[in-house]
């Protein structure tokens, strides 16, 4: 059974809209090849604080990344640090704030766009800074990293859904269309990734309000999907709402590595083998 993991964080994709629009992933759920959970984001429901939550499993009160303007390296142990420590190879195709959290802050637009350096926490990275950077190009960046460096842990982070949500609101044609586009990109790549032996998690940092913003406490802003494709997880739709702090330790479980000391201990519903650490 493979321990390799691909994580796709579709920025700003709220639960109900993803549920309705991601036809291919829902097909995998229907034929019992994927699990679907509802995940409740931490607060504040903002991007940079939630990147830190997803990647370190710690809340803003502990990690100090409390705003989008908190531009500094994380002081926590991230999934990048942990995979590297365990001798696994990692890679990321992501928005530049992810590089600022784990590799270098502030971001240098020339030097930091492409970072191929095994000594850094993110070992192989391609980063973008325009919110308009096409999701199709980002997915190609990620697939390039995967094919060239064969990472055990690959983090992929497209921004298009969040952009359309902020421009037009979560009830708009444009927001739904962008989720459909991401769904189509995933329908092209997920079969390849599965063939290559990857477990796949698809989620989001936060949701989106009807008026095109987030940061607050409503379900629209906090509820995001978590699709999991893994032989270690029983397929199906789960009613239990998962706390976002559980995401990082779940990824550790699927990678077969010990979570950090700061991560919560969480019994993932549907996890088949409780003892999967190396
Ligand atoms: Zn975001």
């Amino acid at each position: 059974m493979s321990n390799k993991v691909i994580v796709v964080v579709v920025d700003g994709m709220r639960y109900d809209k993803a549920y309705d629009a991601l036809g291919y992933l829902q097909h995998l759920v229907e034929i019992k090849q994927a699990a679907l959970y509802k995940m409740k984001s931490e607060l504040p429901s903002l991007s940079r604080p939630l990147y830190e939550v997803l990647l370190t499993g710690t809340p803003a009160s502990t990690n100090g990344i409390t705003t989008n303007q908190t531009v500094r390296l994380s002081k926590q142990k991230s999934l990048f640090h942990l995979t590297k420590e365990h001798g696994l190879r990692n890679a990321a195709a992501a928005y530049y704030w992810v590089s600022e959290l784990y590799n270098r802050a502030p971001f240098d637009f020339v030097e930091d766009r492409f970072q191929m350096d095994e000594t850094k926490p993110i070992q192989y990275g391609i980063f973008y800074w325009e919110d308009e950077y096409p999701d199709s190009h980002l997915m190609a960046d990620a697939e390039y990293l995967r094919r060239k460096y064969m990472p055990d842990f690959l983090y992929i982070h497209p921004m298009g859904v969040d952009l359309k949500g902020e421009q037009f609101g979560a009830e708009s044609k444009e927001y739904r269309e962008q989720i459909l586009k991401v769904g189509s990109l995933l329908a092209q790549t997920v079969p390849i990734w599965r063939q290559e032996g990857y477990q796949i998690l698809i989620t989001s940092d936060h949701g989106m309000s009807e008026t095109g913003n987030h940061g607050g406490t409503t379900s629209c802003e906090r509820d995001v999907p978590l699709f999991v494709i893994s032989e270690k997880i029983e397929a199906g739709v789960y009613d239990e709402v998962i706390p976002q702090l559980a995401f990082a330790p779940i990824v550790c479980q699927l990678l077969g590595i010990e979570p950090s000391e700061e991560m919560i201990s969480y019994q993932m519903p549907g996890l088949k083998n409780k003892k999967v650490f190396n």
Side-chain angles (χ1 to χ4, degrees), residues 11-12 47 51 162 205-206 214:
D11 207 289
S47 295
Y51 303 163
D162 182 74
D205 49 350
H206 51 76
H214 53 88

Side-chain angles (χ1 to χ4, degrees), residues 45-57:
S45 53
L46 292 169
S47 295
R48 195 187 301 252
L50 297 179
Y51 303 163
E52 174 80 340
V53 169
L54 287 165
L55 283 159
T56 69

Side-chain angles (χ1 to χ4, degrees), residues 14 162-172 175 207-215 218 220-221:
R14 86 182 207 198
D162 182 74
L163 178 69
K164 297 296 178 184
E166 289 181 356
Q167 285 174 332
F168 303 102
E171 298 303 331
S172 66
Y175 184 68
M208 187 64 63
S209 77
E210 190 180 343
T211 46
N213 46 42
H214 53 88
T218 65
C220 294
E221 291 160 276

Side-chain angles (χ1 to χ4, degrees), residues 57-275:
T58 61
S61 49
T62 298
N63 63 47
I65 306 294
T66 52
T67 71
N68 283 339
Q69 290 73 39
T70 312
V71 181
R72 65 160 169 80
L73 280 174
S74 166
K75 294 173 182 163
Q76 304 298 314
K77 200 165 259 193
S78 73
L79 291 170
F80 298 114
H81 294 90
L82 288 170
T83 45
K84 191 182 150 206
E85 266 180 29
H86 282 82
L88 303 178
R89 195 177 296 141
N90 71 53
Y95 197 57
Y96 73 111
W97 292 0
V98 175
S99 175
E100 286 184 330
L101 281 167
Y102 308 108
N103 273 11
R104 176 158 81 165
F107 189 82
D108 184 305
F109 292 93
V110 176
E111 287 183 13
D112 294 347
R113 174 155 162 65
F114 301 103
Q115 300 181 54
M116 310 300 157
D117 183 349
E118 285 210 13
T119 66
K120 287 186 176 166
I122 303 172
Q123 296 172 304
Y124 299 98
I126 300 180
F127 301 95
Y128 65 98
W129 54 89
E130 298 287 357
D131 290 13
E132 291 81 2
Y133 191 69
D135 292 349
S136 56
H137 291 43
L138 188 270
M139 291 298 278
D141 293 343
E143 187 58 7
Y144 170 81
L145 289 170
R146 192 190 66 75
R147 291 186 194 182
K148 188 157 173 75
Y149 300 107
M150 295 178 293
D152 302 287
F153 172 60
L154 173 60
Y155 187 79
I156 306 175
H157 174 215
M159 190 59 74
V161 170
D162 182 74
L163 178 69
K164 297 296 178 184
E166 289 181 356
Q167 285 174 332
F168 303 102
E171 298 303 331
S172 66
K173 173 175 179 282
E174 290 83 355
Y175 184 68
R176 179 176 165 82
E177 261 173 10
Q178 197 62 36
I179 298 176
L180 289 167
K181 271 190 199 171
V182 168
S184 167
L185 290 167
L186 290 170
Q188 293 168 54
T189 47
V190 164
I192 299 168
W193 297 340
R194 293 181 77 192
Q195 217 161 32
E196 296 289 323
Y198 282 92
Q199 305 168 91
I200 303 154
L201 297 91
I202 296 148
T203 188
S204 184
D205 49 350
H206 51 76
M208 187 64 63
S209 77
E210 190 180 343
T211 46
N213 46 42
H214 53 88
T217 62
T218 65
S219 314
C220 294
E221 291 160 276
R222 292 187 80 176
D223 291 355
V224 296
L226 171 60
F227 290 91
V228 185
I229 302 165
S230 167
E231 286 175 20
K232 296 175 189 170
I233 300 277
E234 203 74 56
V237 180
Y238 290 84
D239 295 329
E240 190 173 336
V241 177
I242 295 186
Q244 202 169 31
L245 289 177
F247 182 78
I250 290 165
V251 174
C252 288
Q253 283 185 310
L254 297 183
L255 285 164
I257 61 175
E258 288 278 0
S260 79
E261 282 175 16
E262 295 288 338
M263 291 178 189
I264 61 167
S265 142
Y266 184 76
Q267 199 66 262
M268 178 76 166
L271 185 68
K272 290 176 189 170
N273 181 0
K274 315 294 179 205
K275 288 244 177 251

